[in-house]
Amino acid sequence: MHVRTTYVTGDPGKIDQALDGLLVEAVKLLSDQPGYRGYGLFADRELGKIAMGSWWETLEDSAASNQHLQQRRAELLAPFASSLSIMTFEVLAFTPNPQVEAGAGFRLGRFQIPPDKLDRMAELFRTVGLPSFEGTPGFAGGSLLADRRTGMGSVGTLWATRDALVASRGAQSAARARATSDVPMNVIALEEFEVVLLDRRD
């Protein structure tokens, strides 16, 4: 399985307009494409950031849908976006069928690691990371995504409420410290978002 991530920044005063358009159209547009497995829409309204992830059965499905939908995506984001980046990652580990409502919390950590260490990281995430998260109140799901060529990737965790997201910061910081002691990983960025929409069909 693969995830196409889209990261957009723009004027915070125009973010609601962009989110409203995506809420109305995104799932319908994506789910009409072959291989669709899910979509997440996340926002930092204060700073003016939108993060999206669409899940696909194969890399080819992701590429075909991107080509088919890129014009409409640009139209929906045009009033808001000042920068846009798109990357596609392999799903190395994930929690099936996470269930959260709009207004829940999403934490995104971006990292880089030697590509030959990715399998070891994925094993640790499945056997140590996810079980430790599951013992934290409010945890609703997590995923590990990576590009095997570059070693770039991300860890995303979902939290049932904003309060649970905030309360989990210490526990997840400890988990990151353990991970970086076991594998030579550089954490590039750490961000938190509001869950606007989550549709997963695992």
Side-chain angles (χ1 to χ4, degrees):
M1 196 148 44
H2 288 76
V3 175
R4 183 172 69 247
T5 65
T6 304
Y7 189 80
V8 192
T9 64
D11 182 349
K14 298 178 180 178
I15 193 172
D16 286 338
Q17 179 182 353
L19 292 172
D20 288 345
L22 291 166
L23 276 170
V24 170
E25 294 195 39
V27 171
K28 177 62 169 64
L29 290 170
L30 292 165
S31 61
D32 285 343
Q33 301 302 303
Y36 172 77
R37 298 292 294 275
Y39 172 73
L41 174 62
F42 313 101
D44 180 336
R45 298 174 192 266
E46 183 177 0
L47 293 182
K49 297 188 290 187
I50 294 174
M52 294 178 277
S54 56
W55 292 59
W56 303 93
E57 290 183 4
T58 68
L59 184 61
E60 291 74 21
D61 290 333
S62 175
S65 71
N66 187 48
Q67 183 174 5
H68 184 74
L69 299 174
Q70 59 184 345
Q71 180 176 344
R72 184 55 186 152
R73 179 182 60 225
E75 292 169 352
L76 288 169
L77 293 171
F80 164 71
S82 58
S83 70
L84 181 148
S85 63
I86 299 173
M87 299 183 70
T88 301
F89 297 104
E90 179 183 346
V91 180
L92 300 185
F94 69 103
T95 303
N97 297 312
Q99 301 295 321
V100 294
E101 302 293 333
F106 176 64
R107 182 177 293 114
L108 180 66
R110 304 170 188 269
F111 66 83
Q112 187 157 29
I113 188 174
D116 62 353
K117 302 297 183 182
L118 277 170
D119 287 332
R120 173 59 177 160
M121 182 179 181
E123 179 186 2
L124 289 170
F125 186 80
R126 288 189 295 265
T127 61
V128 180
L130 282 176
S132 70
F133 296 155
E134 288 163 359
T136 307
F139 176 73
S143 62
L144 170 64
L145 316 177
D147 182 333
R148 288 188 178 274
R149 297 169 302 164
T150 64
M152 293 185 65
S154 65
V155 171
T157 53
L158 292 160
W159 302 88
T161 64
R162 171 70 183 177
D163 287 345
L165 173 73
V166 171
S168 71
R169 288 171 180 163
Q172 198 156 8
S173 174
R176 283 193 301 275
R178 289 194 299 272
T180 55
S181 69
D182 289 330
V183 291
M185 177 179 67
N186 292 321
V187 177
I188 299 170
L190 184 64
E191 300 170 283
E192 293 181 344
F193 296 88
E194 167 197 347
V195 176
V196 180
L197 172 68
L198 185 68
D199 176 54
R200 283 275 293 276
R201 307 179 185 186
D202 302 326

